[in-house]
Amino acid sequence: MTSRRKFMAILGGGIIVAAGGIGTWSATRDPAGAREPWEAAKALAAETGGDPRIFALSHAILAPNPHNRQPWIAELSTPGEITLYFDTSRRLPETDPFDRQLTIGLGCFVELLAMAAAETGHRADVSLFPDGAPQPVLDERPVARIRLVADETVQRDPLFAQIFLRHTNREAYDMGRPINAATLDDIATAVRSARLDHATGPEQVAALRSLTWDAMETELRTYRTMKESVDLMRIGKAEIEANPDGISLGGPLNEGLELLGLMDRQAMLDPGSMVFAEGMKAQKVQFDTAMGFLWLATPGNARSDQIAAGRDYVRMHLAVTEAGLSLQPFSQALQEYEEMAGNYADMRSALRIGENETLQMLVRLGYGPEIKASPRWPLETRIRTA
């Protein structure tokens, strides 16, 4: 080590011990600029008399979505109407070859938009895929046309209060705090269309930890699926604020590892490298600390079913947040590519998914630490006028 201003050592498990000056440097590494859309939405008042579409969209862009791709484009050329499109540049062709997961993300967007519209006294009349539902992948046709109609009878949704608190929590969960199954029964009442089920018993949770980790290993050790994730990694403040989508690896730890050459993207793709091994070790903590599981299944797998699953998923997540719990999607075993077929079948069997049902979402649950919001593109970058 050549300077006390540089990192002094790296210990097992990826902990960095730093010396002189590093505290000041660390304090500057928070990519706060990438979270400004959350603050912008908080600052909007529902009763300002402005365009209710802007209020609704400001909240909708905070929706959860796979790999944080934020695949939505809103067109506002018709007064009182929002036409929602899929951004075809945001695909995940390796892990989501049929755009199923991305469609679920669009469903999350629609639900938050409708909830926010209700806050301004507007009903959101949603017409899905007005020009046809594209298969096998989404295309440039509209996903939805949404008309905001002033309606004195529209009811505000109590879950709206959780929008700014809802975050996907990838940290280790508290293994000393079990989950009460009755709490999950209450959460199930937030779901409207999909079938929600859960597991909290020690034996079933242990079995699902193993199955979900097996699927994660399949994804990590399949070069093309792992590369898709690596290509979308944003490491450090500068990268995250320049591209506030994809997989954010922020904070002084990750930036320090990169400075030391230990966040090399090629090494991340090499199962024989130390970087790959340490990454596996770090990710397994998420699976080992799952204290329960929730999953959503729909009676079919049409685009409308996927949108409905997304609307229910974000409602479920808001209800989980209201209950003081954390969650993280474990989507690997649900993905529809060749190498995952065995894991996919094993998971369907373990969760007793019906022959005609589609397993749309699976999440781990637990009590996690407080975390910050995910990066978002500013609303103006997600709007086109014609």
Side-chain angles (χ1 to χ4, degrees):
M1 308 297 172
T2 60
S3 171
R4 288 182 59 82
R5 294 182 181 274
K6 295 183 179 180
F7 294 100
M8 297 293 290
I10 297 178
L11 305 180
I15 299 174
I16 294 180
V17 178
I22 199 64
T24 301
W25 177 83
S26 297
T28 69
R29 306 330 299 155
D30 179 29
R35 296 192 299 273
E36 288 181 358
W38 293 82
E39 301 306 317
K42 287 179 187 178
L44 290 175
E47 295 83 13
T48 59
D51 188 339
R53 296 178 298 175
I54 298 303
F55 183 88
L57 287 168
S58 294
H59 292 78
I61 64 169
L62 308 180
N65 60 101
H67 275 22
N68 199 27
R69 294 301 282 143
Q70 303 168 55
W72 36 71
I73 292 289
E75 180 185 303
L76 304 181
S77 58
T78 301
E81 187 173 285
I82 299 166
T83 303
L84 175 63
Y85 291 90
F86 171 65
D87 185 341
T88 58
S89 70
R90 306 279 173 157
R91 293 195 196 281
L92 297 166
E94 303 301 339
T95 56
D96 189 22
F98 305 113
D99 297 336
R100 181 187 62 83
Q101 295 177 88
L102 288 162
T103 304
I104 289 173
L106 291 165
C108 296
F109 180 98
V110 169
E111 181 63 23
L112 290 191
L113 189 152
M115 291 172 65
E119 291 292 305
T120 67
H122 289 79
R123 184 182 73 248
D125 290 344
V126 181
S127 175
L128 293 177
F129 302 103
D131 295 342
Q135 294 287 356
V137 296
L138 297 176
D139 56 27
E140 295 182 353
R141 284 176 284 178
V143 172
R145 285 202 178 95
I146 305 166
R147 183 90 181 155
L148 299 192
V149 181
D151 184 348
E152 294 181 355
T153 68
V154 70
Q155 294 185 345
R156 296 182 176 187
D157 196 313
L159 290 175
F160 179 83
Q162 304 301 320
I163 285 178
F164 298 119
L165 302 175
R166 181 216 62 79
H167 307 305
T168 298
N169 195 323
R170 296 177 176 82
E171 301 298 320
Y173 294 167
D174 188 344
M175 297 188 71
R177 297 185 67 183
I179 296 173
N180 188 328
T183 300
L184 303 190
D185 289 335
D186 291 341
I187 288 168
T189 64
V191 171
R192 292 171 171 166
S193 301
R195 179 175 69 83
L196 182 148
D197 207 344
H198 59 75
T200 56
E203 290 187 6
Q204 191 176 13
V205 167
L208 290 175
R209 285 176 180 171
S210 178
L211 285 173
T212 52
W213 175 247
D214 287 346
M216 187 65 182
E217 276 209 85
T218 297
E219 181 174 310
L220 293 174
R221 295 184 181 278
T222 302
Y223 181 86
R224 60 192 179 84
T225 56
M226 180 59 172
K227 188 174 187 302
E228 184 172 79
S229 293
V230 170
D231 287 347
L232 290 172
M233 288 179 180
R234 320 303 189 200
I235 303 173
K237 178 179 178 178
E239 287 189 14
I240 294 169
E241 291 191 338
N243 288 288
D245 59 13
I247 302 170
S248 298
L249 300 176
L253 173 61
N254 288 315
E255 288 206 43
L257 289 170
E258 186 178 35
L259 286 171
L260 289 165
L262 295 175
M263 290 287 276
D264 179 77
R265 287 172 169 83
Q266 283 304 311
M268 290 179 189
L269 295 169
D270 178 6
S273 72
M274 182 195 73
V275 174
F276 187 94
E278 289 298 317
M280 290 269 287
K281 187 188 301 183
Q283 289 204 307
K284 194 169 188 302
V285 171
Q286 300 169 352
F287 295 79
D288 291 343
T289 63
M291 298 301 291
F293 290 85
L294 278 172
W295 57 94
L296 292 173
T298 57
N301 196 31
R303 291 295 181 200
S304 58
D305 293 312
Q306 295 163 8
I307 292 287
R311 298 189 71 162
D312 276 344
Y313 172 71
V314 75
R315 295 186 62 79
M316 180 188 81
H317 196 169
L318 292 168
V320 164
T321 303
E322 186 176 50
L325 286 160
S326 300
L327 68 70
Q328 176 188 2
F330 277 176
S331 299
Q332 291 76 28
L334 285 59
Q335 294 171 163
E336 302 129 301
Y337 58 91
E338 182 180 358
E339 293 87 346
M340 194 62 74
N343 303 95
Y344 185 92
D346 290 345
M347 187 59 71
R348 286 181 58 89
S349 176
L351 300 181
R352 299 177 182 175
I353 302 301
E355 182 178 355
N356 296 318
E357 285 187 308
T358 300
L359 179 59
Q360 299 285 9
M361 292 297 298
L362 170 66
V363 306
R364 70 158 177 149
L365 291 169
Y367 291 92
E370 185 176 343
I371 59 170
K372 294 179 179 179
S374 299
R376 285 293 184 275
W377 284 99
L379 175 59
E380 59 267 23
T381 70
R382 304 287 86 203
I383 292 176
R384 70 185 189 201
T385 57

